[in-house]
Amino acid sequence: MPHSRIAVSGSTGLIGAALVRSLRADGHEVVRLVRHPARDGDEVEWDPKRGYVDVAGLVGCDAVVHLAGAGVGDHRWTEAYKKEIRDSRVLGTAAIADAVASLDTPPAVLLSGSAIGFYGDTGDRPVDEEAPPGDGFLPSVCVEWEEATAAAEEAGVRTVHARTGLVVAREGGAWGRLFPLFRAGLGGRMGDGRQYWSFIALHDHIAALRHVLDTPELSGAVNLTAPTPVTNAEVTAAMGRVLRRPTLFTAPAPALRLALGEFAGDVLGSQRVLPTRLLGSGFSFAFPSVDAAIRAALR
């Protein structure tokens, strides 16, 4: 993509902040959607709950990247927090899609966040973008989240749903919580350890987002996961190898259910997700193995 004007929501999150740094380093102009009155020239106000976007701030944008949403693992899943998870994604995405569709000259692409939670528990069965949604809370959220981009699609904007896996990074996300535990020698497998974790190095995730922006033939669902999903037991062994720490502890399934409530079902669930469309469009991973992804996070 030549030097472009790109709007990004969720720019303070793990992925959003890294994407903004990457785009700016390459000379792109980035405007950030923020939930307060714009104070700096690079800020555009929006309010996902009210469905408000200061549309004037999106004029001239070549792309919109929408990554905002309440953290799935940040709180216990009370009914109120489940509503927060759903609303922050569905209402926010609809607001962005409506704003994009209302522009006289809309951006060429809306790259909207989604998650491999779409597929539910797939056991040891590999799935790619052709697979239907699974059952349960997260799959139902992901379906509504993706459907909320309809206004942009109807306006002829190329729309991509970036179905993100577990991002391997020290700074945040699920892996950000694992590093201190394993460093302290308290890491271990969760449940029986046979559940698949579909991971992706933060570096590869940002590179994949950039690739999607630059690849006009990609639209619809795109899995952002490394090509070699591994089991939780293999993750545990890799963390022990790379950090040179023992991994003797296990978190039994009942203890996880007690500690995490309903979210434990997703920690113990298995998702063996393959990035078929990413690979088919010519993307190559810098850190395809879990050991490489963990090492990259420690640099």
Side-chain angles (χ1 to χ4, degrees), residues 179-254:
F179 276 115
L181 280 175
F182 278 87
R183 274 224 170 88
L186 299 174
R189 63 180 169 78
M190 298 180 186
D192 63 15
R194 290 202 294 262
Q195 69 273 31
Y196 274 88
W197 280 21
S198 294
F199 68 91
I200 185 168
L202 178 60
H203 174 284
D204 281 333
H205 194 286
I206 301 307
L209 291 174
R210 299 280 308 264
H211 174 79
V212 166
L213 290 175
D214 291 342
T215 308
E217 59 267 30
L218 280 175
S219 64
V222 178
N223 292 334
L224 268 59
T225 58
T228 49
V230 288
T231 65
N232 174 255
E234 289 170 312
V235 167
T236 301
M239 289 287 279
R241 270 196 304 277
V242 175
L243 294 171
R244 298 194 176 90
R245 291 288 189 278
T247 54
L248 306 175
F249 290 86
T250 59

Side-chain angles (χ1 to χ4, degrees), residues 40-67:
D40 295 318
D42 72 336
E43 293 183 341
V44 175
E45 186 183 358
W46 80 307
D47 183 338
K49 286 188 174 152
R50 281 196 299 126
Y52 168 74
V53 179
D54 179 4
V55 178
L58 299 183
V59 170
C61 282
D62 303 286
V64 174
V65 183
H66 172 46
L67 301 171

Side-chain angles (χ1 to χ4, degrees), residues 18-186:
L19 178 64
V20 169
R21 283 195 301 273
S22 170
L23 289 168
R24 285 182 171 160
D26 285 344
H28 297 291
E29 179 191 354
V30 178
V31 293
R32 298 177 303 115
L33 286 117
V34 295
R35 279 175 253 192
H36 54 73
R39 293 192 283 260
D40 295 318
D42 72 336
E43 293 183 341
V44 175
E45 186 183 358
W46 80 307
D47 183 338
K49 286 188 174 152
R50 281 196 299 126
Y52 168 74
V53 179
D54 179 4
V55 178
L58 299 183
V59 170
C61 282
D62 303 286
V64 174
V65 183
H66 172 46
L67 301 171
V72 169
D74 289 358
H75 298 278
R76 200 177 179 85
W77 284 7
T78 60
E79 287 309 308
Y81 194 65
K82 283 165 75 172
K83 185 176 187 308
E84 173 76 10
I85 288 171
R86 185 185 297 270
D87 287 355
S88 70
R89 285 162 174 73
V90 177
L91 301 181
T93 301
I96 297 276
D98 287 344
V100 160
S102 75
L103 291 164
D104 290 338
T105 307
V109 55
L110 169 61
L111 174 48
S112 187
S114 185
I116 61 169
F118 177 93
Y119 303 107
D121 189 334
T122 74
D124 59 5
R125 175 173 54 91
V127 294
D128 68 6
E129 292 89 353
E130 297 299 311
D135 298 315
F137 172 64
L138 284 183
S140 73
V141 169
C142 289
V143 168
E144 283 188 63
W145 190 6
E146 294 185 6
E147 287 174 348
T149 61
E153 290 169 64
E154 284 158 17
V157 175
R158 174 168 72 95
T159 302
V160 181
H161 305 289
R163 290 181 183 163
T164 296
L166 293 166
V167 178
V168 186
R170 265 184 316 184
E171 306 91 326
W175 233 280
R177 296 176 193 183
L178 292 182
F179 276 115
L181 280 175
F182 278 87
R183 274 224 170 88
L186 299 174

Side-chain angles (χ1 to χ4, degrees), residues 249-270:
F249 290 86
T250 59
L256 283 170
R257 289 197 181 93
L258 197 63
L260 301 175
E262 193 179 339
F263 180 51
D266 288 274
V267 173
L268 296 165
S270 183

